[in-house]
Amino acid sequence: MQDYCITKLIGLENVIVSNIVETDTHLEIFIETKPCHQSCPQCGERTRSIHDYRLQKIRDVKFREMYTYLILKKRRYKCTSCGKRFYERYPFLERYQRHTIRVLQALLIKVRTANFKEVAKELGLGHSTVIRWFDRYYTYENHSLPQILAIDEFKGTTEK
């Protein structure tokens, strides 16, 4: 019952919270998932053979006004058919990313009302990261310049 309440509180389904470490500056939540059958990305065979584990530190949205990191115990599988090794897919994490999808969603919502620098400070990211994510995920119309552009000359220092 307690594990269910903790996973409900942090908003992640199908994860097991093994430990929570709170420091002065941030919060670390150690999580893992239950092993299950995975499909090999190369040959498509289903396997349950676990090759190894590693820990990955993933940035998440703030919790209790503290920066939050998920320490994920990533599982790597080995295909028994072709021998390929591959990582398990997680619904809250895109491939090759070190932040949850919730951080990206928060960024795209906050950037509507604040500038890039404020959003970066609030989420604990670099402003160039915020700009890069904005350009990648936010769609907007890009109007091109006309074929002919007229420029008027003006001199403001004359007394006439």
Side-chain angles (χ1 to χ4, degrees):
M1 179 66 180
Q2 184 179 1
D3 290 337
Y4 173 75
C5 293
I6 292 172
T7 56
K8 190 78 169 168
L9 184 65
I10 63 173
L12 297 175
E13 296 179 5
N14 302 325
V15 297
I16 301 165
V17 177
S18 60
N19 193 11
I20 298 175
V21 176
E22 184 175 348
T23 65
D24 294 338
T25 58
H26 64 277
L27 185 69
E28 291 181 349
I29 303 171
F30 290 80
I31 62 171
E32 62 181 288
T33 58
K34 293 179 182 176
C36 60
H37 284 84
Q38 298 289 321
S39 295
C40 176
Q42 188 167 343
C43 67
E45 289 290 323
R46 295 185 49 86
T47 184
R48 197 178 170 110
S49 176
I50 298 170
H51 179 67
D52 63 358
Y53 291 92
R54 79 173 183 94
L55 294 178
Q56 182 179 3
K57 190 175 188 178
I58 302 165
R59 178 178 291 279
D60 199 15
V61 291
K62 283 186 174 180
F63 184 73
R64 293 187 341 204
E65 294 303 315
M66 295 179 73
Y67 293 119
T68 305
Y69 296 98
L70 302 175
I71 310 299
L72 175 63
K73 187 175 181 181
K74 285 186 92 171
R75 187 176 300 113
R76 192 162 63 148
Y77 287 90
K78 179 180 179 181
C79 180
T80 53
S81 178
C82 67
K84 179 163 178 67
R85 291 166 180 85
F86 58 95
Y87 283 104
E88 180 177 1
R89 297 285 181 135
Y90 301 97
F92 55 88
L93 184 66
E94 287 184 357
R95 193 171 181 191
Y96 304 122
Q97 298 301 313
R98 291 181 296 184
H99 62 276
T100 59
I101 294 173
R102 297 187 298 190
V103 173
L104 177 62
Q105 291 170 342
L107 179 140
L108 293 177
I109 290 170
K110 291 176 190 300
V111 82
R112 292 179 187 168
T113 58
N115 62 30
F116 293 140
K117 190 173 182 179
E118 291 171 357
V119 173
K121 186 175 182 181
E122 185 174 337
L123 294 176
L125 302 168
H127 70 278
S128 59
T129 304
V130 173
I131 293 169
R132 188 175 59 247
W133 288 357
F134 177 80
D135 288 338
R136 183 184 303 159
Y137 294 104
Y138 201 84
T139 57
Y140 55 93
E141 291 183 26
N142 189 5
H143 298 289
S144 60
L145 293 174
Q147 291 289 334
I148 301 171
L149 183 65
I151 299 174
D152 290 338
E153 294 182 20
F154 176 76
K155 185 172 182 183
T157 58
T158 62
E159 296 177 10
K160 296 181 182 176

